Amino acid sequence: MLKRVLIANRGEIALRILRACRELDIETVAVYSEADEEALHVQLATQAVCIGPARASGSYLNQDALLTVAKATGCDGVHPGYGFLSENPDFADACAAEGLTFIGPSGGTIRKAGSKSTAREIMRAAGVPVTPGSGGPVSSVEDALAAADAVGWPVLLKSSAGGGGRGIRRCDGPEALPAAFSEAKAEAKACFGKDEMYLEKLVLRPRHIEFQILADRQGHVIHLGDRDCSVQRRNQKLMEEAPARCLTPDLRARMGAAAVRAAGAVGYEGAGTVEFLLDAGGEHFYFMEMNTRIQVEHGVTELVTGVDLVRQQLRIASGLPLDIAQEDIHLEGHAMECRVNAEDPAQDFRPCPGRVEFLHLPGGAGVRVDSCLYNGCTLPPYYDSLAAKLLVHAPTRLEAIRKMRRCLEEFTLEGFPTNAELSYQILYHPTFVRGGCTTAFLDESLPDLLDFSRRIREKEGNP
Ligand code: ADP
Ligand code: ADP
Ligand code: MG
């Protein structure tokens, strides 16, 4: 087993990882930027080292500093978390070159899965259904127009390097394409430093269904069921649940088998996610991308399967074979997650981190909170705005919804605005309650949901 792991991340995921390490008697080395001196992950680690300025490029993305600290503190492994360097194949290779175990797949595998346009080709060859699209990247507006005419409008322009919903633009016809192309390219360049684009046919009113997979070095690959992440604002997830209500056992088995095949096609190792779109008819599914890391919403899978995914990552990276087989995986009850972000829905979701003046987190049976917040801490403005993840687990979906409503009623955060009330409104929306949300739901219902919140605040005399 690994002995000492450097956690190349911050926030709630750094805490999540160090908790799993502690339970396995693995020591932890936290790294932090000058903006994170008082962060919880710094206080809970075996040892903590400042690696640079607030700006992520000088700290959490600074590969040399991370590797130097890992070696100087005697680490044998590096956990990248999500975001930052987690899907950077050069970092995975650099760790290996320094004799450090990168807790994730090899650089070669990340390269195959990480470029979305390359991954599509690999999946097609492996017999995994993909959406119709350009066969490879499109390098100019003319290229994109020709590809879109061939697959049929509307299309989605997507960055090959994309993540977190960035670098994506919908395009309904040829007139709109030049502007959408340059906007998506510029956003991709700014977010990922790369601006290769490709395009896919837009699937109308789909659901986002993803499968969690685990693969060990001995060649065993299993899936741990599915998550429905269709509640999204502008292609970014807000609420997730497991299992997806819309899957029949037969469809679940077919999609799960496709996810396992997808993992096999890129020689996967560790924990990963295969994302699919399920069409409006609920019959056809298409591979969308593979995320070669632990995902924000992994907790809902842990709640319904009872499997600790970070513990499994650490075991696999230590060279141990999977201690669970596909037939050991049973989905018990229903789990749900709300992402609480420091952002103001009333101001077009402007990020608005700040100091936590007062905090009360919900608890009780079937409740899990993953958060780096504490009373008096300051959420710095330099990183993403995720402040807390509220998770619930209950025997049925309706009970999970009621438990989540109760959690959001209890949740109290003074100091900066969050999207918590918006999530609360969603939990009462008839479309959500009957399990009918597609990825179009939130963008379409947002005006009503926000208006409702505003009227309630006015009634309470608290505008
Ligand atoms: P998804 O990639 O499907 O949106 P998550 O919601 O789990 O998955 O994303 C995890 C976090 O990592 C988000 O905060 C997101 O902004 C960030 N992220 C995802 N992919 C990348 C990437 N390629 N580069 C930088 N950040 C990313
Ligand atoms: P990211 O890496 O940013 O998570 P994805 O490829 O996973 O990018 O796409 C993000 C979201 O965009 C999906 O969850 C889905 O809602 C939407 N999306 C992506 N591709 C399509 C498509 N071909 N048709 C319709 N919606 C799509
Ligand atoms: Mg995605």
Side-chain angles (χ1 to χ4, degrees), residues 116 158 162-165 168 208 210 232 235 237 275 288-291 293 295 297:
K116 294 188 192 189
K158 297 174 74 171
I168 299 180
H208 173 122
E210 58 184 36
Q232 303 182 351
N235 306 318
K237 299 163 185 164
E275 296 188 339
M288 189 162 45
E289 67 160 336
M290 179 159 188
N291 289 323
R293 55 173 160 87
Q295 210 138 340
E297 60 275 21

Side-chain angles (χ1 to χ4, degrees), residues 18 39 48 119 197 202 208 217 254 257-258 261 266 269 351 356 392 417:
L18 76 83
M197 302 301 298
L202 184 81
H208 173 122
R217 286 195 193 149
R254 283 193 288 129
R261 205 152 64 239
V266 292
E269 183 188 316
V356 175
V392 298

